[in-house]
Amino acid sequence: MSVRDLLSPFIAWKHLFREPVSIRDPFNREASERYRGFHQNDVEKCIGCGTCEAICQNGAIDMVIVEGVEGIKTRPGDSGLRPRIDYGRCCWCALCVDVCMTSSLTMSNAYKWVENDPDKFRYIPGVDKKEWDNVKQGYHRPDGHRLNAPERIEMPELEPAERIDSFVEIVGGYSVEQARLEADRCVTCGICVATCPTHMPIPEYISAVRDGDYERGLKLLYDSNPFSQICGKVCTRRCETTCAASHEGDPIAIRWLKRHITEQVPYEKYRDIIGGPLPATGKKIAIIGAGPAGMTAAFDLARKGHEVSVYEARSHAGGMTRYGIPEYRLPFETIQREIDLIVSMGVEMHYDTRVGTDIQMQQLQQDNDAVLLAIGLWLGRGTRIPGADHPHVYKAIDLLRRIRDGEQLEAPKSMVVIGGGNVAMDIARSVARLQKQQQGEINVTLTALEDKAHFLADPVEIKESIEEEINIIDSRGPQECVSDDQGKLVGLRSWKVLSIFDDQHRFAPTYDESDEQLHPGEWIVEAIGQMSDVSLLGDALTEKLEWDRGRLQVDDDGHTSEPWLWAAGDCVKGPDIVSAVATGHSVATSIEAMFEQKEAQNA
Amino acid sequence: MADAEFGKADRSQYPHRRPDGSLDIDLTSGKYLKLWQGPNHPGITGNMSVELTVCGDEVVEGKTHVGYLHRGFEKLMERRTFIQCFPIVCRICVPEPDFNEYCYAAAVEELAGLEIPEKAKWIRALILEMGRINSYLMYLGGQAGAFGQGVIGQWTTYARDLMLDRFEELTGARIYHMFILPGGVRDDLPEGFDERMEQTLQEVERTLDDVYDTMFRNAVFKKRAVGLGYVDPALVDEYGITGPVARGAGVARDVRKDQPYLVYDQLDFEPVTGRESDVYARADVRRRDLLMSVDLIRQILSKMPHKGEVMATLPNVLHWKIPRGETYIRGECSRGEYGYYLVTDGSGYPRRVNVRGPSYTHAMALLEKLIVNVNISDVAGLMVSLHTYPPEIER
């Protein structure tokens, strides 16, 4: 203690001469650039996946139905829900912003909000308009800051050089570790479930992959899709187009994870896991066509204990999966395993039995309680351009069937494919393989009306076709199949497409006639669509049934205008395996409901 | 003891103890008074209370009572996923929340086998030192205030506010920063942060000069603080004393040096120690430690790598499972050793989280020891000198 200790404190007096340091107007102080203030939500970008709700540790976020706001409705890829935030619970940790799958949820730097009614502090950002909605500053997820992995685990595949001269399956399948990592990316939002035509419990079976509980996964798969092994390889996977992860990264490889489950469970265990049929009911059902729709319905109905007979015109079941999809995408063995499993439920198969020829519809109607038409689309559509009647102008679907049937086709030196869908890719790639095997060189040209960005084919198919040296020429309208003086087909003459649809979105292509090309080809293959062969119905029944522009008219459950007849699959829904499975299920449910209704009446 | 002897005897022997060790106090004698200080007393460092038995103006016994602030964080965490624990840990210590974030994140990273990017380590160290400065500034205001000197608190609050501005621009929040999460830190430093930080540091130093002149060179403060609350260096191990309380007793204990974490092995510093081990010595250790933090921030900003990631690649946090394991992660916070003991069982939730806040030993056991024979008016000053934050006692 000294005199200094008595005097030194008086230094405080110097503050009398300092400017005040306090903020004069604290109410209008702007918060920093990164400030975690009130939420903003770009509701049009938001897909209502609810991942924000899932991560919120305070339970401050509820996903709620939003009505009467333009741009928000329940549709594929959008649940129609939007997050509502309760500021009585929120702690402004911004995990919801960090995890947001579309980056629609952000925070402004606004922090003042005065209200008398406490309920007002529970609001839907972006829907309940606020003054900070358009404030630029505030917390946004920083670049590179991710709480889940944006990139897909690559699927092991054969290199183009290895695969081009054989029909060996291209895709190798995930290892357990790869599958676990891929499954880990899923945020279990379930947006995909609504998109999947047969509503497979996708998040649940992906979580089974994460847990390594493949038997649980298999049960989940077969509860909703008896074509799981096949769909695991060739599904059109609409689920992946709506996957929440696809907005800021790659969609989850849902199809490959499904495949992984089916590969991990030993086939011998399938039947036990899936469960056998219920006791016999005595009800009889005839199903025409052993494709995905028919066999799905057969699976469902047989498991209920009904007596199911399937009539198939060809010598193998599987329909388009067996005769339309090339082996490099879907090996025979996979199909056989699937069919055997369904047949093991007690389904009676009648192969090489064409209804209308070998057995009549009336007979089926008499012998059964219900009849299901699942006849697919087996007639290829033609372009009807001049020269299309040449014997070397083929329909893609016919050629694919011949290849899958094991016929030793002699591939042409050159070939032109008309069409930009998956069938076009299939035939182009199949014939390319034959060419490589037989001649060592590939010469396949694929032309389509659409430009490449609007091809109907799966982008992966397009990529792989290009890798396999298929010459894809887009925006070409076919005009003539040109033959030389000896009548030998020399190629396809085409014009440049200017537009495909008119103002009313009707199909009316316009061409630049000055831009003409001749695509050389000894064969020309038309792959522009298919239709049903309904001749089996017979004139009387055809007359009786109701039709919608050439297609059999059915209600939502696949019931035709005849009380005993249902229809399902490609012939009512257009070509798609998983949609066929979905219609197979709904038809089975509808038939089952009819039985119950009858029983109730009899009782 | 006869009244005539009162004041003459050896104070440390007063009051008498019975053979069983309990205090020989007869409350019915009229000589003693029960007095509760807290839980909402201005002289208390938050919501805890001390049950005082006084004789005249002298405390003969003080029992510490906690539980007024119990929110059950450790239990809450057992029902939250690993990422969901991240926003709540900061609440375990309000004035210096970052140690919770760091210790929790580091414990999760160790058990999950995550390696964080180099730059994230530097930013974490920066944040921890910024938090330490804030905590000390708050302490200085409290220590002076406990002896009736209000102006120090006004000045240090101003300096702390500047540091909160830096926190706000770096982390997006002033108090609960929620910036250090398992895997790294949320973001890089903002543009021009170094210069603004330097201005803030200069302002902190200027403030501390004033504080030194008015508080540490102040006859009143010295008279109150010197000799008060003496901690025998022998008690350091016995009571589990860490941080400035131990260093004030001359025991150079500092986790940053003893078991360097983050980037402390690359920084140049020596633990600040004192000798007298009283309230004054502890205040001075903290003042000098604060200045050392200022220096450490300058070192960090100059040595920090300019480029690089700040966040490791995390698995999907929504179903993040961590293999079975246990770990204890410690760090040197402004009050001593801060630690997180984390046990995982392979599920998506922590099996057990135990938070070791230094206030637990200092404010409960040690205070009961030191408070005997202290004048009532010095109780607040004594308590503040142990730098107690009750929420970390009752996590």
Side-chain angles (χ1 to χ4, degrees):
Chain A
M1 203 88 65
S2 63
V3 180
R4 192 193 61 191
D5 291 336
L6 292 171
L7 299 178
S8 180
F10 288 97
I11 283 174
W13 287 100
K14 76 177 184 193
H15 284 267
L16 277 179
F17 307 101
R18 278 188 73 181
E19 287 291 313
V21 292
S22 55
I23 297 169
R24 282 304 161 92
D25 182 8
F27 295 103
N28 291 304
R29 176 190 180 275
E30 198 181 351
S32 69
E33 191 76 20
R34 290 180 186 175
Y35 192 76
R36 298 195 301 271
F38 301 133
H39 290 76
Q40 302 161 317
N41 192 11
D42 182 345
V43 285
E44 284 181 21
K45 212 167 152 193
C46 176
I47 54 169
C49 66
T51 312
C52 47
E53 183 190 33
I55 204 167
C56 180
Q57 63 93 16
N58 289 308
I61 301 180
D62 286 318
M63 299 303 292
V64 295
I65 298 167
V66 175
E67 277 167 4
V69 179
E70 211 178 320
I72 308 178
K73 65 168 195 270
T74 308
R75 55 168 181 243
D78 186 351
S79 70
L81 305 174
R82 292 295 179 266
R84 181 181 65 189
I85 299 183
D86 183 351
Y87 280 159
R89 287 175 158 266
C90 176
C91 73
W92 279 268
C93 67
L95 282 180
C96 51
V97 175
D98 286 350
V99 84
C100 178
M101 300 306 283
T102 59
S103 284
S104 70
L105 196 64
T106 53
M107 279 169 148
S108 71
N109 71 341
Y111 59 93
K112 290 191 309 285
W113 184 3
V114 181
E115 204 86 63
N116 289 324
D117 179 4
D119 283 342
K120 291 271 169 60
F121 293 111
R122 197 174 54 189
Y123 81 119
I124 309 173
V127 172
D128 301 334
K129 295 292 170 209
K130 297 290 171 204
E131 61 201 60
W132 55 80
D133 281 347
N134 297 313
V135 170
K136 289 266 180 295
Q137 297 94 332
Y139 182 74
H140 296 63
R141 179 163 59 78
D143 291 340
H145 177 62
R146 294 293 297 247
L147 300 184
N148 47 8
E151 278 154 22
R152 176 181 283 202
I153 305 295
E154 220 174 301
M155 174 55 98
E157 285 181 2
L158 292 183
E159 291 301 315
E162 296 174 282
R163 70 192 190 220
I164 186 57
D165 59 352
S166 85
F167 282 82
V168 170
E169 192 179 8
I170 295 174
V171 174
Y174 279 142
S175 68
V176 170
E177 181 56 14
Q178 284 171 323
R180 204 194 54 72
L181 287 172
E182 181 62 22
D184 188 58
R185 299 174 54 228
C186 170
V187 295
T188 59
C189 66
I191 292 267
C192 47
V193 180
T195 318
C196 174
T198 187
H199 308 307
M200 297 192 75
I202 297 164
E204 285 78 12
Y205 72 67
I206 289 181
S207 97
V209 175
R210 268 200 307 276
D211 298 343
D213 187 350
Y214 295 111
E215 297 193 1
R216 186 179 95 218
L218 194 82
K219 179 97 176 82
L220 288 165
L221 292 183
Y222 276 85
D223 277 350
S224 56
N225 185 350
F227 274 68
S228 288
Q229 296 173 79
I230 290 174
C231 279
K233 297 193 172 182
V234 293
C235 183
T236 44
R237 63 194 204 291
R238 298 179 198 188
C239 50
E240 292 183 23
T241 61
T242 57
C243 176
S246 68
H247 291 265
E248 301 214 320
D250 302 327
I252 311 297
I254 299 172
R255 176 172 60 173
W256 298 149
L257 292 173
K258 177 157 56 233
R259 174 195 172 114
H260 179 72
I261 295 174
T262 64
E263 286 171 345
Q264 289 300 312
V265 179
Y267 184 60
E268 310 80 70
K269 283 185 159 184
Y270 272 43
R271 183 81 186 336
D272 285 344
I273 294 167
I274 296 162
L278 296 175
T281 60
K283 296 272 189 302
K284 291 173 80 175
I285 298 128
I287 294 176
I288 305 166
M295 292 308 278
T296 300
F299 177 81
D300 285 2
L301 292 165
R303 290 221 304 163
K304 293 278 185 198
H306 306 309
E307 204 177 300
V308 181
S309 309
V310 176
Y311 297 88
E312 169 57 50
R314 303 186 203 289
S315 52
H316 290 95
M320 207 54 96
T321 60
R322 175 66 174 70
Y323 292 99
I325 297 176
E327 209 179 345
Y328 59 84
R329 284 174 60 199
L330 183 60
F332 289 133
E333 194 203 347
T334 310
I335 306 169
Q336 201 51 50
R337 281 159 52 121
E338 208 79 288
I339 298 302
D340 288 348
L341 190 71
I342 296 171
V343 172
S344 79
M345 297 295 162
V347 177
E348 196 184 314
M349 300 300 292
H350 301 271
Y351 291 113
D352 298 311
T353 309
R354 184 173 282 278
V355 176
T357 314
D358 303 320
I359 188 167
Q360 295 303 317
M361 280 301 275
Q362 290 94 322
Q363 187 70 41
L364 294 179
Q365 184 191 351
Q366 277 165 24
D367 295 349
N368 294 282
D369 298 287
V371 178
L372 168 61
L373 273 182
I375 52 175
L377 300 167
W378 284 100
L379 293 179
R381 286 184 195 277
T383 53
R384 298 188 203 158
I385 53 173
D389 50 359
H390 191 281
H392 284 163
V393 176
Y394 297 95
K395 304 280 189 291
I397 196 69
D398 297 334
L399 275 186
L400 281 169
R401 187 177 65 223
R402 285 165 63 187
I403 294 170
R404 282 287 255 180
D405 239 348
E407 193 180 318
Q408 293 303 313
L409 280 185
E410 197 178 318
K413 291 267 184 307
S414 58
M415 183 178 80
V416 183
V417 179
I418 305 171
N422 284 331
V423 175
M425 300 294 162
D426 285 344
I427 190 61
R429 297 175 69 185
S430 293
V431 172
R433 280 167 168 73
L434 292 176
Q435 284 180 335
K436 190 78 182 175
Q437 285 173 351
Q438 295 167 6
Q439 300 149 17
E441 260 180 57
I442 294 167
N443 186 342
V444 176
T445 306
L446 187 145
T447 68
L449 290 175
E450 298 86 3
D451 59 75
K452 255 182 217 160
H454 294 91
F455 268 28
L456 295 174
D458 191 321
V460 176
E461 285 283 315
I462 299 171
K463 178 181 144 271
E464 290 180 353
S465 298
I466 293 169
E467 286 171 0
E468 290 169 9
E469 299 169 38
I470 289 165
N471 182 20
I472 297 181
I473 307 175
D474 60 351
S475 301
R476 301 304 302 182
Q479 300 305 322
E480 188 193 350
C481 300
V482 186
S483 305
D484 64 10
D485 302 341
Q486 282 82 46
K488 189 177 174 235
L489 200 59
V490 291
L492 177 75
R493 188 165 58 79
S494 78
W495 288 341
K496 169 100 183 149
V497 173
L498 294 175
S499 68
I500 301 176
F501 298 100
D502 67 7
D503 299 343
Q504 272 87 49
H505 301 287
R506 282 178 306 214
F507 181 73
T510 57
Y511 303 110
D512 176 2
E513 297 179 15
S514 64
D515 183 350
E516 186 175 280
Q517 283 184 16
L518 182 75
H519 313 293
E522 292 178 3
W523 285 10
I524 294 173
V525 179
E526 295 170 314
I528 58 163
Q530 291 124 253
M531 47 194 183
S532 283
D533 178 4
V534 290
S535 58
L536 81 167
L537 295 174
D539 290 344
L541 187 57
T542 308
E543 191 69 25
K544 251 166 104 181
L545 287 166
E546 286 176 20
W547 297 83
D548 179 18
R549 278 175 292 178
R551 271 192 194 175
L552 201 57
Q553 196 177 329
V554 292
D555 66 9
D556 290 346
D557 299 326
H559 208 165
T560 66
S561 50
E562 283 297 299
W564 53 275
L565 185 65
W566 278 259
D570 291 359
C571 67
V572 293
K573 277 279 175 184
D576 180 30
I577 296 171
V578 69
S579 298
V581 169
T583 56
H585 280 313
S586 55
V587 161
T589 313
S590 173
I591 292 174
E592 183 75 13
M594 183 269 285
F595 290 158
E596 280 171 19
Q597 212 177 343
K598 273 195 177 163
E599 250 164 48
Q601 280 168 0
N602 294 341
Chain B
M1 189 184 290
D3 281 3
E5 292 172 28
F6 195 84
K8 292 178 191 161
D10 177 5
R11 306 297 303 150
S12 66
Q13 296 302 308
Y14 179 80
H16 293 289
R17 287 185 183 273
R18 301 190 187 97
D20 66 355
S22 61
L23 285 168
D24 185 11
I25 293 171
D26 178 11
L27 285 174
T28 57
S29 66
K31 208 168 127 186
Y32 302 98
L33 185 67
K34 279 274 184 196
L35 189 67
W36 281 74
Q37 190 155 332
N40 291 317
H41 192 276
I44 297 284
T45 55
N47 301 96
M48 68 174 281
S49 64
V50 189
E51 180 191 356
L52 301 173
T53 307
V54 294
C55 176
D57 60 359
E58 185 178 9
V59 176
V60 294
E61 187 183 26
K63 281 185 185 157
T64 50
H65 292 272
V66 295
Y68 302 97
L69 206 52
H70 183 72
R71 288 164 289 175
F73 291 111
E74 291 179 353
K75 198 71 194 166
L76 285 176
M77 284 194 257
E78 290 169 18
R79 295 289 179 276
R80 274 162 172 74
T81 61
F82 288 100
I83 196 73
Q84 285 180 328
C85 292
F86 144 75
I88 64 171
V89 290
C90 51
R91 289 169 169 73
I92 296 174
C93 175
V94 190
E96 198 184 8
D98 311 285
F99 269 91
N100 293 287
E101 294 182 15
Y102 161 67
C103 291
Y104 174 71
V108 168
E109 284 151 10
E110 187 182 316
L111 294 180
L114 269 182
E115 187 67 39
I116 68 162
E118 182 65 15
K119 190 162 192 191
K121 293 182 185 169
W122 288 88
I123 297 178
R124 283 182 175 186
L126 169 71
I127 288 173
L128 295 181
E129 291 306 320
M130 286 164 69
R132 190 188 315 279
I133 288 180
N134 271 353
S135 178
Y136 280 149
L137 286 170
M138 204 167 171
Y139 156 79
L140 285 172
Q143 186 67 74
F147 292 133
Q149 201 179 5
V151 72
I152 304 294
Q154 292 170 15
W155 294 346
T156 56
T157 301
Y158 156 67
R160 178 171 173 269
D161 238 41
L162 295 176
M163 195 54 88
L164 293 184
D165 286 346
R166 301 291 78 74
F167 264 121
E168 184 186 322
E169 65 168 313
L170 173 59
T171 69
R174 296 175 75 81
I175 305 296
Y176 292 138
H177 310 126
M178 301 191 241
F179 195 69
I180 301 175
L181 74 171
V185 293
R186 263 197 164 126
D187 208 348
D188 208 339
L189 302 184
E191 200 74 19
F193 181 80
D194 293 23
E195 293 92 77
R196 290 190 294 278
M197 179 53 103
E198 181 53 38
Q199 287 168 12
T200 300
L201 293 179
Q202 286 174 12
E203 201 62 25
V204 169
E205 285 175 324
R206 248 199 303 280
T207 306
L208 271 207
D209 285 346
D210 287 349
V211 168
Y212 184 65
D213 286 332
T214 37
M215 179 174 165
F216 289 87
R217 287 179 163 183
N218 184 329
V220 179
F221 182 69
K222 280 190 171 176
K223 229 169 157 50
R224 298 288 298 274
V226 172
L228 175 65
Y230 173 73
V231 176
D232 190 334
L235 290 182
V236 167
D237 280 341
E238 200 178 321
Y239 277 72
I241 297 168
T242 55
V245 182
R247 293 203 291 276
V251 181
R253 188 164 284 180
D254 189 328
V255 185
R256 289 175 290 181
K257 205 76 194 173
D258 302 341
Q259 198 185 61
Y261 50 98
L262 293 172
V263 295
Y264 284 106
D265 53 349
Q266 297 169 57
L267 299 174
D268 180 22
F269 69 100
E270 280 304 321
V272 175
T273 54
R275 227 156 17 94
E276 276 74 24
S277 197
D278 55 9
V279 172
Y280 187 92
R282 291 197 279 276
D284 197 49
V285 163
R286 293 188 177 106
R287 181 187 64 82
R288 287 184 287 136
D289 211 14
L290 198 166
L291 289 170
M292 193 174 87
S293 288
V294 170
D295 179 53
L296 285 176
I297 288 178
R298 290 196 175 116
Q299 287 188 41
I300 289 167
L301 287 176
S302 65
K303 291 181 179 173
M304 180 190 284
H306 291 288
K307 290 204 175 71
E309 297 289 312
V310 295
M311 190 74 190
T313 307
L314 290 182
N316 187 345
V317 297
L318 291 175
H319 20 249
W320 190 4
K321 289 182 178 162
I322 294 182
R324 182 186 286 264
E326 60 180 306
T327 187
Y328 178 69
I329 296 289
R330 66 175 89 188
E332 180 75 17
C333 76
S334 64
R335 300 164 314 289
E337 178 180 324
Y338 212 92
Y340 263 62
Y341 174 60
L342 177 67
V343 184
T344 52
D345 57 5
S347 74
Y349 306 89
R351 177 70 188 84
R352 175 81 171 97
V353 187
N354 186 279
V355 184
R356 192 249 183 232
S359 299
Y360 194 92
T361 48
H362 296 173
M364 289 179 69
L366 184 61
L367 181 62
E368 285 190 1
K369 168 93 181 159
L370 299 182
I371 208 164
V372 178
N373 303 125
V374 163
N375 191 295
I376 302 177
S377 62
D378 287 336
V379 169
L382 172 65
M383 281 190 69
V384 174
S385 83
L386 300 175
H387 205 174
T388 311
Y389 288 151
E392 71 189 24
I393 302 175
E394 310 166 22
R395 57 292 150 190

